[in-house]
Amino acid sequence: MRIKEVYIDNSATTRPYPEVISEMSRVMDEEYGNPSSLHRRGSEGERILNTSRQVLADILGVKNNEVIFTSGGTESNNLAILGIARRNRRRGNHLVTTAIEHSSVLQAFNQLEKEGFEVTYLVPEKNGVIDPQKAVEALTSRTILVSIMHVNNEIGSIQPISRISKMLKAKNPAVIFHVDAVQSFTKFSLSPQQQGIDLLSMSAHKFHGPKGVGTLYIKDGIHLEPLNWGGGHEKGLRPGTENTPGIAGMALAAKISTADRRENMEKMNSLKEKLISSILTEHPWAQLNGPLEEEGAPHIFNISFPGLKGEIILHALEEYFIYVSTGSSCHSSAKEPSHVLRALGLNEEATEGAIRFSLSHLNTEEEMDYAASKINSVIAELANFHKITT
Ligand SMILES: Cc1ncc(COP(=O)(O)O)c(C=O)c1O
C-alpha cells in the first residue's frame, strides 16, 4: 500500500473525524439558531448545548451544570487559574504549579505574579514526573491554588494526579486543585470526583474534534471570577454566543474517542514501541527524553539526536510527508529552547536536537514501518554529514 502521509504530530492537533465534520456542517446548515433566541431555531441551538454538555458530563461522571464551554485549552486554563486566584485573593496569595506546564498555564501564572501573587514552580524528576511530596512541601497556609497537568505535551510524562490531590488535601483541605487534561482527556479515564480534581481543562482539537472549542469542568461550589463580561452565557463565566457547531463536534469527537478507549491506547502503545525500538536500535546514540518507554503516555514521546538540529530533521522528514514537531507547537515557532527539556536538565545539544513524536489511534502499523525507515535514513544521512561519531 502506498503511504500518502504519516501525521505523527497529534499533540499539536489531530485530524477531525469525518463524522465530526459532517455533524458540524449539518448544525451550521440546519440548526443555526442562537441558543438564546426564544423561537424554535433558538430551542434547537439550546438543545445542542444541553445534549453536548450531558455527553461530556457523562464521560467525566459529573453533573452537567459543572461543565462550561470555552474556546479551547488556553481559555480553560486561563479562566481556571486567573479566575480562581483573583476570586480567592482574600484567602491568600500563594499559588503552586510546575516548571513543565503548557505556556497557557505558565503565562497565566506569570500574569498573576505581576498582580502580586507568589508562585512556586515545582521541578520534575529526571523522568518528567513531579514528586507528590514536593508538591505538599510547597503548600503554605496562604496557598489557594495548585495547578498540575496530567500528561505532558512534549515528553508524555504522566503526573500522579490522584495521589497529589489526596496528599495536598490532607495537608490543606481548602486548597483548590486544577488539572490541565488537554493531552489526556478521552485517552485516560478521568473522574474528577474520585481523583479529587476541582477544575479540569480540555480541548476538542486534541481528540479529533474541531479547533477553537474546549471545556472547563468546575466542581459545584467552586467560585471564580470571569475573564470576560457580557451576556449571562455559561452561568456568566464565559459570556458570548455559544459556538454550537464546534460544541456539537466536540461532543461527538469525545463520544467516538472514548468508545474504544482501551483498544486505542493499546494500539498507540504498540505503535510507540515499534517506532522507539526501531530508532534506538538503529541509532543507539539517540536518547529518549523524560519517562522510560513503559512509564510514559502511549501517544507522546521525545527523542534527542545530540549534534543535529531538530528543525532540520523536521523539514527533512517533511520531504517524505512525515510530520513531527520539535517541541510544543508554540515553541517551534518561537524558536526558544524547550522549557520542558531544560527543566529535565538536558544540555543544549540534546535540547536542540529533540523531536517530539505524537501518535493517534488512527495511525497504522504500515505508517510506522514507513516512518521508521525514513527517519532512520534521514538521521543517518544528517549524522554522516555533520560527522557525528555514533
Ligand atoms: C497541555 C496543553 N495545555 C493546553 C493547550 C492549549 O490548548 P488549545 O490549543 O486548545 O488552546 C495545549 C495545546 O497544545 C496543551 O498541549
Side-chain angles (χ1 to χ4, degrees), residues 214-248:
T215 298
L216 178 65
Y217 157 78
I218 308 170
K219 187 181 165 183
D220 253 353
I222 299 274
H223 298 291
L224 38 83
E225 184 132 332
L227 302 177
N228 300 313
W229 304 93
H233 314 80
E234 301 298 299
K235 300 199 286 185
L237 288 173
R238 206 280 173 168
T241 303
E242 299 87 347
N243 171 5
T244 44
I247 290 167

Side-chain angles (χ1 to χ4, degrees), residues 11 72-74 77 102 104 149 153 180 182-183 203 205-206:
S11 291
T74 297
N77 284 339
H102 185 261
S104 57
M149 73 197 320
N153 52 305
D180 173 353
V182 165
Q183 295 292 351
S203 174
H205 74 110
K206 307 295 185 178

Side-chain angles (χ1 to χ4, degrees), residues 325-341:
S325 101
T326 53
S328 91
S329 16
C330 22
H331 285 116
S332 38
S333 49
K335 295 206 172 72
E336 285 240 330
S338 154
H339 66 282
V340 175
L341 299 183

Side-chain angles (χ1 to χ4, degrees), residues 20-268:
V20 166
I21 298 172
S22 320
E23 175 61 1
M24 290 178 68
S25 163
R26 189 194 66 76
V27 170
M28 279 191 277
D29 195 29
E30 297 172 14
E31 299 189 345
Y32 52 81
N34 183 329
S36 300
S37 295
L38 298 178
H39 47 66
R40 189 181 308 129
R41 287 274 174 241
S43 313
E44 285 168 0
E46 197 185 359
R47 204 186 53 236
I48 291 172
L49 296 185
N50 293 342
T51 51
S52 304
R53 209 183 299 281
Q54 194 60 53
V55 166
L56 291 152
D58 287 347
I59 292 173
L60 292 173
V62 300
K63 288 182 262 173
N64 55 17
N65 69 329
E66 295 175 310
V67 171
I68 294 285
F69 296 126
T70 67
S71 66
T74 297
E75 188 187 346
S76 292
N77 284 339
N78 273 269
L79 180 57
I81 294 161
L82 298 170
I84 288 292
R86 290 172 180 164
R87 173 73 188 236
N88 292 280
R89 193 177 207 132
R90 276 175 295 109
R91 284 181 33 221
N93 74 336
H94 181 238
L95 314 162
V96 178
T97 189
T98 83
I100 57 166
E101 298 296 312
H102 185 261
S103 55
S104 57
V105 167
L106 290 176
Q107 296 292 323
F109 279 105
N110 291 166
Q111 173 57 31
L112 289 169
E113 284 179 310
K114 290 183 195 144
E115 295 175 21
F117 287 90
E118 263 176 48
V119 183
T120 302
Y121 297 91
L122 303 169
V123 177
E125 306 300 303
K126 191 101 189 83
N127 60 1
V129 178
I130 301 289
D131 177 354
Q133 192 54 38
K134 281 195 188 162
V136 173
E137 281 161 16
L139 284 188
T140 72
S141 56
R142 294 173 297 110
T143 312
I144 50 176
L145 171 71
V146 177
S147 177
I148 296 183
M149 73 197 320
H150 188 195
V151 169
N152 183 272
N153 52 305
E154 291 192 42
I155 53 172
S157 56
I158 308 167
Q159 303 306 336
I161 46 175
S162 304
R163 199 139 45 89
I164 292 176
S165 167
K166 208 169 166 190
M167 288 168 67
L168 290 176
K169 298 207 175 209
K171 181 164 173 190
N172 179 355
V175 81
I176 296 171
F177 186 43
H178 166 246
V179 172
D180 173 353
V182 165
Q183 295 292 351
S184 66
F185 178 64
T186 73
K187 298 179 181 78
F188 289 76
S189 159
L190 283 160
S191 165
Q193 268 173 9
Q194 284 172 22
Q195 294 173 293
I197 300 165
D198 300 309
L199 299 114
L200 187 89
S201 303
M202 297 151 271
S203 174
H205 74 110
K206 307 295 185 178
F207 51 89
H208 301 281
K211 291 166 188 58
V213 57
T215 298
L216 178 65
Y217 157 78
I218 308 170
K219 187 181 165 183
D220 253 353
I222 299 274
H223 298 291
L224 38 83
E225 184 132 332
L227 302 177
N228 300 313
W229 304 93
H233 314 80
E234 301 298 299
K235 300 199 286 185
L237 288 173
R238 206 280 173 168
T241 303
E242 299 87 347
N243 171 5
T244 44
I247 290 167
M250 168 165 64
L252 182 57
K255 225 184 208 173
I256 299 173
S257 295
T258 47
D260 299 315
R261 201 176 56 75
R262 279 211 184 84
E263 291 86 336
N264 294 346
M265 290 290 263
E266 272 164 29
K267 180 176 180 193
M268 289 188 285

Side-chain angles (χ1 to χ4, degrees), residues 6 8-9 313-314 317 322-326 355-357 375:
V6 183
I8 42 178
D9 194 16
I313 301 172
L314 180 154
L317 292 175
I322 297 167
Y323 303 109
V324 295
S325 101
T326 53
I355 292 287
R356 172 186 71 180
F357 300 90
I375 292 166

